[in-house]
Amino acid sequence: MKKNVLLGTFLSFYLVGSYASYHIYKQQQSHPVTGDVARLLPTKVKEIKHGTTEKQLKDWVKTASQHHEKIAIAGMQHSQGGQTYYPNAIIFDMKQYNKIIDYKPRQKEITVQSGTTWNDIQQYIHKDGLALQVMQSQNIFTVGGSISVNVHGRDIRYGSLMDTVKSMRLLQADGSIIEISRKKHPELFSLVNGGYGLFGVILDVTLRLTDDEWYEDEVIRLDYRQYTAYFKNYVQHNPDVRMHMARISVSPNQLLTDMYVTNYRLSSQNTSTANEPLKTEKIVALPKFMLGLSRYSDWGKDMLWETQKAYFLRQNGRPETRNNVMRSESDFMEYESASRAEVLQEYFVPVDEFASYIDDLREVLSTEKLNLLNITVRYVEKDNKAVMSYAKDDMFALVLLINQKKDHQGISDTQRVVRKMVDVTLQHQGSYYLPYYGYPSKKQLEEAYPHTTAFFNLKRKYDRNETFVNLFYKEYGKRRTNNSYTHKA
């Protein structure tokens, strides 16, 4: 009798436990958790839909609008400020929406679906000796995602990506599809470029292309105080210098003093670039190991800087095609850690402010603990065509790679230092890039982007029911009511 009671009790607990486990499993399946590459903002969403056809996307938007559901749009999810998801929203994963629709090599134009990656395009146009005009340093991202953050690249002749977009088709919250360009719906065009997915689903895009060319690497070591004069006198208006970037030391021994610059000068080589293979990443282990050392010791940072600088100085005179210059290595930067994450910040400062800005930035970094791994510098020409333009002047863009703890204290510490760095940037008439973790305050956002209020008001004009949303909008732009989210700053 006693054994039967024990057996019955055991079976009861087993059945209850099994039901509970199954219930939790079903909830997880129906309400998946998503996040960006930094994994600092895990968010439970209602559903993730993988769009493959225009009809699918259109039907999904109409249904969501009718049922007052929220939509967030995702590509590779490297935007770290929550721009690709929202609590209990339907996520449109656009990576499979990636067909080449039209290609006109003679006119140097290509039309692609928004989930197409830059690598897809390079593979397609390389045979005809053509290249992209603007692309960020890695080619792994989707066209739609890059337009949504209005990226810039290394080419000093072009500004932001918006300058190379001829037109695009946009799926709006009411299910209608319109073509937008500088002539058709120009206001929407200036909002969608750098609009972070808040105005609709970018369906397809027509991009202007350029010739693939042979370049010759020119690598020069400089003191940071020489950089502005060097750039203005030798690079900015030099027709032979097509692309440019620089690195400045984060090594404790030479913190923000030592630099080297790389110019990609037009080569006299006149052989076809179509016969030059697109490069792939071959050497990953060594740079990955060196970067790993720099994460955990000042000695590692010193060694990485000296090794990196020596390596690139030896590349002086190396021939490269434009397409290959735009295919920067990224595999060695992949990072997995249960307790730490790597986040980006990007600050824009006027060219003439560079040296004094670096002095003030160094003062902050000398007194604060921030595990800063790398800073690259690029040039961005003044551009006010996008409503949320970051280039209020001819600017240097400094991209900072930061290693931080994932816990509350780690996030709080990084936020404190970032806000100090943003303050310094603003004091030098600069701005900061928005796709990264939302450490800056709303006041800092409004100072960096004077059209912020107009931008969010126009979002609600074109999307009255706020169908398209994300955490960036929730944090900085959503109107507050008695029951709504309150901004942390």
Side-chain angles (χ1 to χ4, degrees):
M1 181 71 178
K2 190 174 181 180
K3 286 184 180 181
N4 291 337
V5 171
L6 288 173
L7 180 61
T9 302
F10 171 78
L11 287 173
S12 297
F13 277 115
Y14 176 79
L15 290 171
V16 169
S18 297
Y19 176 79
S21 297
Y22 177 76
H23 183 67
I24 291 170
Y25 169 79
K26 291 298 289 183
Q27 278 192 321
Q28 289 173 340
Q29 295 301 302
S30 60
H31 293 280
V33 174
T34 189
D36 53 59
V37 68
R39 299 181 179 87
L40 286 178
L41 294 170
T43 299
K44 186 177 286 188
V45 299
K46 180 178 181 180
E47 186 179 3
I48 299 176
K49 290 178 176 286
H50 301 272
T52 57
T53 69
E54 182 177 302
K55 184 179 185 306
Q56 258 185 344
L57 294 167
K58 188 173 181 178
D59 290 345
W60 291 345
V61 168
K62 283 184 174 180
T63 301
S65 182
Q66 290 168 0
H67 293 87
H68 305 289
E69 292 177 319
K70 303 300 182 186
I71 296 170
I73 306 163
M76 293 299 179
Q77 293 192 290
H78 277 247
S79 292
Q80 298 177 348
Q83 288 87 357
T84 59
Y85 44 93
Y86 186 84
N88 203 37
I90 300 168
I91 309 302
F92 284 11
D93 184 325
M94 301 295 290
K95 291 192 289 292
Q96 295 176 31
Y97 193 74
N98 58 358
K99 292 179 181 176
I100 307 289
I101 297 175
D102 192 22
Y103 176 46
K104 299 174 181 175
R106 290 186 179 180
Q107 288 87 347
K108 298 180 183 178
E109 288 182 3
I110 192 167
T111 303
V112 301
Q113 291 180 335
S114 59
T116 306
T117 67
W118 297 111
N119 180 54
D120 294 336
I121 297 176
Q122 285 187 314
Q123 297 285 352
Y124 203 85
I125 66 178
H126 169 251
K127 64 183 185 298
D128 295 309
L130 294 177
L132 293 155
Q133 292 183 351
V134 172
M135 187 187 85
Q136 62 265 61
S137 293
Q138 282 82 34
N139 62 6
I140 62 174
F141 304 113
T142 64
V143 171
S146 297
I147 288 172
S148 294
V149 301
N150 197 22
V151 300
H152 62 89
R154 298 182 185 182
D155 195 313
I156 62 174
R157 297 170 301 167
Y158 303 108
S160 59
L161 178 59
M162 180 181 181
D163 290 342
T164 78
V165 177
K166 182 178 180 181
S167 63
M168 63 183 101
R169 290 194 310 137
L170 184 73
L171 172 57
Q172 300 185 104
D174 62 0
S176 63
I177 297 173
I178 59 172
E179 181 180 346
I180 62 174
S181 66
R182 290 165 186 80
K183 294 181 179 179
K184 296 180 180 179
H185 307 286
E187 184 177 68
L188 256 179
F189 190 72
S190 69
L191 290 163
V192 173
N193 286 279
Y196 299 91
L198 294 174
F199 294 86
V201 182
I202 299 171
L203 292 175
D204 47 70
V205 183
T206 299
L207 297 163
R208 297 188 180 93
L209 305 173
T210 189
D211 293 324
D212 197 10
E213 301 171 320
W214 279 103
Y215 300 146
E216 189 174 283
D217 293 5
E218 180 181 47
V219 188
I220 299 170
R221 183 179 179 181
L222 292 174
D223 182 277
Y224 77 101
R225 290 166 292 195
Q226 302 171 299
Y227 184 47
T228 292
Y230 170 82
F231 181 82
K232 292 171 75 172
N233 294 330
Y234 186 76
V235 176
Q236 189 172 13
H237 303 295
N238 186 341
D240 287 337
V241 178
R242 299 306 183 110
M243 291 186 175
H244 171 86
M245 68 169 296
R247 285 186 173 90
I248 187 167
S249 173
V250 298
S251 159
N253 288 337
Q254 302 175 80
L255 183 62
L256 303 191
T257 56
D258 197 16
M259 293 185 69
Y260 64 89
V261 304
T262 304
N263 301 315
Y264 301 93
R265 294 174 59 88
L266 191 62
S267 172
S268 58
Q269 186 169 334
N270 57 12
T271 58
S272 172
T273 60
N275 298 321
E276 181 70 9
L278 295 175
K279 70 180 181 182
T280 57
E281 295 191 45
K282 296 178 180 177
I283 304 174
V284 176
L286 181 59
K288 192 176 185 72
F289 173 74
M290 297 293 292
L291 182 59
L293 287 179
S294 74
R295 290 185 176 107
Y296 301 107
S297 70
D298 289 346
W299 171 81
K301 288 180 174 62
D302 292 335
M303 177 176 279
L304 177 62
W305 174 251
E306 293 301 330
T307 304
Q308 189 180 56
K309 180 174 61 177
Y311 171 80
F312 282 104
L313 285 169
R314 287 197 301 271
Q315 305 306 306
N316 214 344
R318 176 180 61 173
E320 283 191 276
T321 64
R322 178 184 181 88
N323 272 323
N324 280 335
V325 169
M326 299 174 93
R327 294 172 70 83
S328 292
E329 292 80 4
S330 58
D331 285 354
F332 77 96
M333 297 178 65
E334 291 182 2
Y335 179 63
E336 293 285 342
S337 172
S339 60
R340 305 189 70 87
E342 289 189 347
V343 300
L344 292 168
Q345 288 285 298
E346 184 167 356
Y347 305 132
F348 303 88
V349 289
V351 169
D352 289 327
E353 293 284 325
F354 181 78
S356 59
Y357 172 71
I358 290 296
D359 287 336
D360 289 343
L361 190 62
R362 188 188 309 108
E363 187 174 338
V364 172
L365 294 173
S366 298
T367 57
E368 292 281 359
K369 282 191 70 174
L370 186 73
N371 194 9
L372 182 59
L373 303 181
N374 185 58
I375 299 180
T376 58
V377 185
R378 297 175 182 83
Y379 169 72
V380 185
E381 193 175 53
K382 181 179 179 179
D383 186 354
N384 58 8
K385 293 184 281 292
V387 173
M388 294 296 272
S389 173
Y390 42 75
K392 297 179 284 189
D393 201 339
D394 291 347
M395 303 282 225
F396 286 133
L398 290 85
V399 183
L400 287 68
L401 178 63
I402 300 164
N403 184 277
Q404 66 159 80
K405 291 182 178 179
K406 288 182 178 180
D407 60 21
H408 177 77
Q409 188 60 52
I411 291 172
S412 178
D413 289 344
T414 304
Q415 181 182 59
R416 185 188 70 255
V417 182
V418 164
R419 289 191 176 188
K420 285 189 175 184
M421 293 193 293
V422 170
D423 277 339
V424 169
T425 305
L426 295 173
Q427 288 162 15
H428 286 268
Q429 292 77 56
S431 59
Y432 66 93
Y433 204 20
L434 298 178
Y436 302 129
Y437 203 70
Y439 289 132
S441 68
K442 191 169 185 179
K443 181 180 178 182
Q444 288 175 321
L445 171 67
E446 291 169 346
E447 187 173 347
Y449 292 86
H451 302 299
T452 293
T453 300
F455 174 79
F456 287 129
N457 284 339
L458 286 166
K459 185 267 184 299
R460 288 181 282 270
K461 168 189 169 183
Y462 286 104
D463 181 12
R464 295 185 183 278
N465 295 323
E466 298 173 291
T467 298
F468 297 106
V469 291
N470 52 40
L471 285 185
F472 168 73
Y473 179 61
K474 179 181 180 182
E475 177 75 9
Y476 293 108
K478 192 171 175 62
R479 284 175 174 164
R480 282 179 280 175
T481 64
N482 290 335
N483 297 319
S484 71
Y485 175 80
T486 302
H487 191 277
K488 69 186 178 189

